[in-house]
């Protein structure tokens, strides 16, 4: 696709439409799998790891950014990235067969809508997610999935002798940065769906527990100008969040607090938001975090979890594979609504409502029971 075509591409579809399209894609994939001989469908799925790692390499080399001003040959790209030309050509040819880059008759590669998602500044960027997924520390964890299935422990335990990734990041801060950037990246795709998926009006103080760099919090604060925010996370993450919050012009309205949610969390918020935090932990740890929130809350405060709520049966849902990510990396799990109710019971909360959003995430609202 030429740059001119890219500039005239239609406006971004709303999230509800994206969700509907994802459902259609799921059904089409299932239909396609049914029409294919099962062994062919299986080989496609087995080989998906090759696509994933090839995307990682292109993302890591920044190829999509180098094509911003138009198509380039593999020679030019190899020169700019300092890699082997023939190998790079083969990589890009493979990716082009999936619609990621397009090769022209002069053997130059150009951007496609999929390739644009690997650009660092694209609003649809998933580059940081691609990089984290393919980095050796993360790749090896999935390579050891079988150990988690055998023992019920994280693959981090088997691979790095640490109980979970958060403790591993203490010794490998670069991996920690990859994770924080990947989370910010993924968050940016769903921020507005979450900010508009719940009525935050009338709220004075929102405390975002384990908020990472604050991607969700900044979107909510921008959508609701009268809310003040508190971003709470581990000291190493808060150090990185400072720049993000300042860049977003929210330094005045957002307090940054470093701490450990197993010890305590900041008091007095009207809303305690935990987006994809509880899924990182097993029952005893999740209950500890929730109890600390309960202690910090006033009688009017509400708790909001943003999580993947696992649907029953064979329904396709991204949270089912994300659950394996939790198994290998953090020792947590994705839960059904009934499992969230049980967790709340154990921590002194009552589930009040589950809100669907224009994204795959759900907002689970709970209040403290006295
Ligand atoms: N809410 C963010 C990040 C979720 S990842 C988002 O959805 O994008 C889980 C977060 O929990 C990470 O930012 C991690 O640093 C934080 N975390 C893990 N252990 C913690 C602890 N003991 N105390 C405070 N935060 C912690």
């Amino acid at each position: 696709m030429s740059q001119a075509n890219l500039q005239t591409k239609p406006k971004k579809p709303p999230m509800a439409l994206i969700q509907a399209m994802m459902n259609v894609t799921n059904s089409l994939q299932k239909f396609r799998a049914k029409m294919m001989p099962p062994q062919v469908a299986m080989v496609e799925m087995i080989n998906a790891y090759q696509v994933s790692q090839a995307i990682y390499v292109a993302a890591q080399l920044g190829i999509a950014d180098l094509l911003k001003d138009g198509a380039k040959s593999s020679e030019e790209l190899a020169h700019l990235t300092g890699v082997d030309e023939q190998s790079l050509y083969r990589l890009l040819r493979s990716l082009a067969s999936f619609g990621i880059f397009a090769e022209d008759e002069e053997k130059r590669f150009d951007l496609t809508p999929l390739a644009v998602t690997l650009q660092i500044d694209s609003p649809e960027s998933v580059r940081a997610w691609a990089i984290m997924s393919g980095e050796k520390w993360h790749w090896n964890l999935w390579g050891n999935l079988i150990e988690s299935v055998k023992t019920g422990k994280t693959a981090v335990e088997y691979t790095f002798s640490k109980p979970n990734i958060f403790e591993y990041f203490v010794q490998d801060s670069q991996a920690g940065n990859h994770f924080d950037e990947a989370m910010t990246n993924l968050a940016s795709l769903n921020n507005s769906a979450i900010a508009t998926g719940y009525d935050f009006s009338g709220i004075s103080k929102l405390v975002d527990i384990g908020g990472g760099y604050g991607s969700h919090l900044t979107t909510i604060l921008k959508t609701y100008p009268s809310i003040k925010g508190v971003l709470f996370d581990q000291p190493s993450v808060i150090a990185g969040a400072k720049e993000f919050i300042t860049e977003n012009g929210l330094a005045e309205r957002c307090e940054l607090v470093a701490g450990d949610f197993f010890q305590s969390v900041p008091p007095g918020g009207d809303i305690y938001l935990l987006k994809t935090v509880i899924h990182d932990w097993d029952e005893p740890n999740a209950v500890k975090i929730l109890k600390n929130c309960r202690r910090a809350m006033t009688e009017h405060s509400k708790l909001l979890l943003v999580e993947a709520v696992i649907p029953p049966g064979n329904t396709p849902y991204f949270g089912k594979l994300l659950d394996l990510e939790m198994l290998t990396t953090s020792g947590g799990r994705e839960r059904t609504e009934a499992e969230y109710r049980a967790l709340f019971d154990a921590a002194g909360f009552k589930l009040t409502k589950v809100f669907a959003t224009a994204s795959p995430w759900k907002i689970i609202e709970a209040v403290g029971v006295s």
Side-chain angles (χ1 to χ4, degrees):
M1 182 190 269
S2 73
Q3 198 64 16
N5 281 345
L6 271 176
Q7 277 156 9
T8 55
K9 76 179 176 179
K11 269 182 91 186
K12 229 165 119 180
M15 277 312 285
L17 181 59
I18 295 176
Q19 186 61 43
M21 280 157 44
M22 277 164 66
N23 292 344
V24 172
T25 311
N26 265 337
S27 308
L28 283 176
Q29 274 169 355
K30 275 172 114 184
F31 177 72
R32 206 167 144 252
K34 273 198 187 130
M35 299 305 287
M36 277 181 177
Q39 67 276 27
V40 176
M42 276 304 281
V43 169
E44 259 199 16
M45 285 193 272
I46 292 165
N47 289 355
Y49 78 97
Q50 298 170 341
V51 185
S52 181
Q53 188 61 217
I55 293 172
Y56 159 74
V57 177
Q60 184 61 276
L61 295 177
I63 302 294
D65 287 308
L66 294 172
L67 299 178
K68 245 183 181 153
D69 299 324
K72 285 191 170 56
S73 66
S74 50
E75 283 90 352
E76 285 172 277
L77 290 168
H79 177 71
L80 289 167
T81 52
V83 301
D84 179 66
E85 184 272 314
Q86 267 302 301
S87 306
L88 182 62
Y89 174 75
R90 290 156 68 187
L91 177 90
L92 297 179
R93 181 177 62 184
S94 304
L95 287 171
S97 74
F98 287 90
I100 310 166
F101 306 110
E103 184 182 0
D104 66 18
E105 278 132 30
E106 273 109 57
K107 295 198 156 205
R108 286 177 317 189
F109 289 92
D110 207 347
L111 290 169
T112 61
L114 285 178
V116 169
T117 68
L118 296 181
Q119 289 182 331
I120 195 161
D121 290 330
S122 156
E124 292 102 20
S125 180
V126 291
R127 179 171 184 261
W129 186 258
I131 289 179
M132 184 197 77
S133 302
E135 278 288 315
K136 284 194 181 65
W137 65 269
H138 188 270
W139 190 251
N140 290 341
L141 295 179
W142 272 81
N144 288 327
L145 171 63
I146 193 162
E147 303 303 333
S148 291
V149 173
K150 280 184 189 163
T151 63
K153 293 182 181 161
T154 63
V156 183
E157 178 89 54
Y158 182 83
T159 317
F160 301 120
S161 307
K162 296 279 176 198
N164 59 55
I165 40 166
F166 301 113
E167 298 209 16
Y168 169 68
F169 293 156
V170 175
Q171 76 181 50
D172 184 350
S173 60
Q174 204 188 7
N177 292 342
H178 284 142
F179 175 84
D180 294 330
E181 282 161 18
M183 290 307 295
T184 303
N185 200 175
L186 210 60
S188 71
L189 303 180
N190 296 301
N191 277 341
S192 60
I194 289 154
T196 56
Y198 186 84
D199 184 7
F200 290 94
S201 54
I203 284 152
S204 310
K205 186 167 159 187
L206 190 152
V207 186
D208 190 359
I209 305 292
Y213 285 172
S215 182
H216 284 291
L217 186 59
T218 50
T219 306
I220 297 172
L221 294 186
K222 283 180 184 172
T223 314
Y224 292 89
S226 62
I227 300 183
K228 287 211 180 332
V230 177
L231 181 68
F232 179 81
D233 209 298
Q234 304 188 94
S236 60
V237 181
I238 288 297
K242 211 169 195 163
E243 197 184 324
F244 186 83
I245 298 289
T246 309
E247 267 171 15
N248 276 280
L250 290 167
E252 299 291 301
R253 279 173 59 206
C254 186
E255 191 187 341
L256 303 179
V257 182
D260 175 1
F261 50 44
F262 290 112
Q263 300 298 320
S264 65
V265 303
D270 301 302
I271 293 273
Y272 281 77
L273 175 73
L274 292 91
K275 153 95 196 345
T276 54
V277 169
I278 292 303
H279 78 159
D280 285 330
W281 304 97
D282 61 11
E283 263 52 17
N285 280 310
V287 168
K288 251 187 231 165
I289 299 167
L290 290 174
K291 278 189 170 168
N292 282 340
C293 291
R294 179 80 185 85
R295 261 192 283 279
M297 287 164 72
T298 69
E299 57 181 307
H300 304 294
S301 313
K302 285 187 173 150
L303 178 83
L304 295 183
L305 306 188
V306 179
E307 295 285 0
V309 179
I310 297 288
N314 300 313
T315 318
Y317 183 53
F318 89 111
K320 292 182 178 179
L321 276 177
L322 189 61
D323 184 46
L324 298 185
E325 176 81 17
M326 297 307 119
L327 174 64
T328 51
T329 61
S330 70
R333 64 193 312 130
E334 303 304 333
R335 296 176 171 91
T336 62
E337 187 174 324
E339 286 167 338
Y340 276 110
R341 282 182 194 279
L343 198 62
F344 287 147
D345 258 5
F349 285 97
K350 182 167 75 100
L351 191 152
T352 39
K353 194 163 175 186
V354 177
F355 296 82
T357 71
S359 80
W361 303 105
K362 303 268 196 275
I363 300 176
I364 313 164
E365 184 196 66
V367 292
V369 284
S370 39

